[in-house]
Amino acid sequence: MAKFNGTGILIYSNGTEIACQTGLSISLQQALLPASTKNSAGWEEHINGQRSFNIPFDALQSTTGLSAKELYDYIIGRTNLLVFVLGFGAPIIGECDLADCTVNAPNEGTVGLSGNLKGNRTLFQLRGTKVQKLTDPKGVSTDYETYTTSGVRVTSAINLAGTATTLSTVSAVVNTATYKVVFFLTLNSGQVPSVVITDAGAGKSNAVAAVAGINVITLVATDTGNYSLQFYNTAAANWSTSNIYWFRI
Amino acid sequence: MAKVNGTLYAVLSGTDRVLYLTSCSLTISQNLADTSNKESGGWAEHINGLRSASIPFEGVYDESLISAAGLTPAAIVGLIIDRTADSVIKWTADSGTSGFTGNGTFENITISAPMEEGVKFSGNIKFNGAVADI
């Protein structure tokens, strides 16, 4: 049996690991709405209601990396976050807002910080039929001038002019099935990339232009087969991404 | 007197055992609505009201499956995300031959990952409707 050491479970905000984490929890709940009536034979009954999740976490304050100042800025700027919890067999992904963040500065003690990420809309758990489909973003081909990756993260994509495309390693796609492509885009300059499912360049889904920041893109397949996830630009562009997750919903 | 080792008690959702538990409890309650009045002789009185039941549980997080079919904590997360319909819940010490049963819903699950400790989980099953002896 595979137990997990909590040290290996980490939170990433917009693709960046929160520095010096010491602990976290993932709480998922669904409201069970009272539905008891006189016909319930004296037993409480309910119906399924709203789902919600939150992720409280603790860390030590760090002078480098994503720490208190950056976290406070999320609250001050009312910026929402794309949160990955990695380390389990199945990545857990959701959009969140930082509900609160506290820095504790005890006398002659380590400065610690704690916060609570409140989920906004769907929590995705990439397992079963929703397993991660992307293994290599450039597994088939790329004609960008620069296209470097680290796992399923594009660390640098540079297109100097004209059209450039990158095809991922293929994965099984089912006609009319709905897929999500989730990632955080850092646009350094130029045009944002677009995303589509293709068969060596022949479109097999709708195409969607990404946005700088959080992307939760919906693609609907138009054919069945083993196809690639394609990122492409039609003009000069310089961008990078967090981990990219492509999964069926 | 025959004592019982808690390890024997299992929670079944349909035919799936909830795996990797370290503890589980069955709580059955009934609301006792107050009917005390000036004729109660100074004693509290009540009538029997709504009954309810729940199974809070805790365990050690694990994603591997053992040979018997079962629900991992990751699978329970999936059930809540999907708002899966109620399942038949059994609280039993002998694989479902005896115990208590009723329809139930996974109300919540919390997975905790402290530094340099085992990842743990806890949650609650809320019964939906009658609970009866198996």
Side-chain angles (χ1 to χ4, degrees), chain A residues 36-45, chain B residues 49-51 129-130:
Chain A
S36 308
T37 70
K38 292 183 178 182
N39 302 107
S40 301
W43 285 97
E44 193 174 271
E45 292 187 296
Chain B
L50 207 64
R51 290 157 293 181

Side-chain angles (χ1 to χ4, degrees), chain A:
Chain A
M1 277 179 267
K3 307 296 186 298
F4 285 79
N5 187 325
T7 294
I9 312 300
L10 296 166
I11 309 175
Y12 295 77
S13 167
N14 295 339
T16 302
E17 180 183 319
I18 294 177
C20 301
Q21 296 174 46
T22 55
L24 67 94
S25 296
I26 304 158
S27 289
L28 170 67
Q29 47 272 329
Q30 61 177 330
L32 299 178
L33 310 174
S36 308
T37 70
K38 292 183 178 182
N39 302 107
S40 301
W43 285 97
E44 193 174 271
E45 292 187 296
H46 60 258
I47 58 172
N48 297 59
Q50 185 169 269
R51 293 152 292 183
S52 61
F53 68 97
N54 65 298
I55 304 174
F57 63 91
D58 297 294
L60 298 182
Q61 162 70 338
S62 172
T63 55
T64 58
L66 179 56
S67 192
K69 178 193 178 305
E70 293 78 17
L71 293 171
Y72 282 142
D73 285 344
Y74 287 139
I75 297 176
I76 292 168
R78 286 202 266 196
T79 307
N80 59 333
L81 314 173
L82 182 60
V83 172
F84 304 147
V85 179
L86 304 181
F88 297 117
I92 293 174
I93 301 169
E95 286 188 70
C96 296
D97 280 280
L98 188 59
D100 55 73
C101 184
T102 300
V103 173
N104 290 306
N107 177 48
E108 291 305 305
T110 311
V111 178
L113 70 91
S114 60
N116 187 35
L117 292 158
K118 180 168 178 161
N120 197 10
R121 291 183 292 274
T122 310
L123 181 70
F124 297 107
Q125 182 193 45
L126 273 57
R127 61 184 290 274
T129 57
K130 302 172 187 163
V131 69
Q132 158 75 306
K133 301 175 68 59
L134 188 66
T135 54
D136 183 350
K138 61 173 182 180
V140 171
S141 66
T142 180
D143 54 15
Y144 281 72
E145 276 74 20
T146 299
Y147 204 93
T148 58
T149 61
S150 173
V152 293
R153 178 185 190 124
V154 178
T155 52
S156 178
I158 300 174
N159 177 42
L160 296 177
T163 297
T165 66
T166 297
L167 297 176
S168 76
T169 306
V170 301
S171 182
V173 171
V174 175
N175 188 23
T176 72
T178 300
Y179 297 87
K180 292 287 190 183
V181 183
V182 179
F183 59 96
F184 185 88
L185 177 70
T186 301
L187 182 66
N188 300 313
S189 65
Q191 186 191 58
V192 291
S194 292
V195 183
V196 65
I197 298 171
T198 70
D199 179 12
K204 296 296 181 183
S205 76
N206 55 309
V208 177
V211 299
I214 296 173
N215 288 271
V216 181
I217 292 171
T218 302
L219 302 177
V220 180
T222 57
D223 204 349
T224 296
N226 293 322
Y227 305 137
S228 296
L229 186 68
Q230 180 184 72
F231 280 74
Y232 66 94
N233 283 99
T234 57
N238 184 331
W239 50 268
S240 63
T241 73
S242 66
N243 282 358
I244 301 167
Y245 294 99
W246 172 30
F247 54 96
R248 181 176 177 178
I249 61 169

Side-chain angles (χ1 to χ4, degrees), chain B residues 82-111:
Chain B
D82 293 341
R83 275 202 286 202
T84 303
D86 291 350
S87 56
V88 174
I89 301 294
K90 289 183 181 177
W91 163 265
T92 176
D94 52 13
S95 303
T97 305
S98 65
F100 295 91
T101 184
N103 286 336
T105 316
F106 284 93
E107 183 176 27
N108 57 62
I109 185 168
T110 296
I111 302 166

Side-chain angles (χ1 to χ4, degrees), chain B residues 17 68 127:
Chain B
R17 178 189 174 102
F127 280 91

Side-chain angles (χ1 to χ4, degrees), chain A residues 1-4, chain B residues 19-20 61-66 70-73:
Chain A
M1 277 179 267
K3 307 296 186 298
F4 285 79
Chain B
L19 296 174
Y20 311 128
Y61 189 89
D62 197 320
E63 290 183 350
S64 52
L65 286 174
I66 56 179
L71 276 183
T72 63

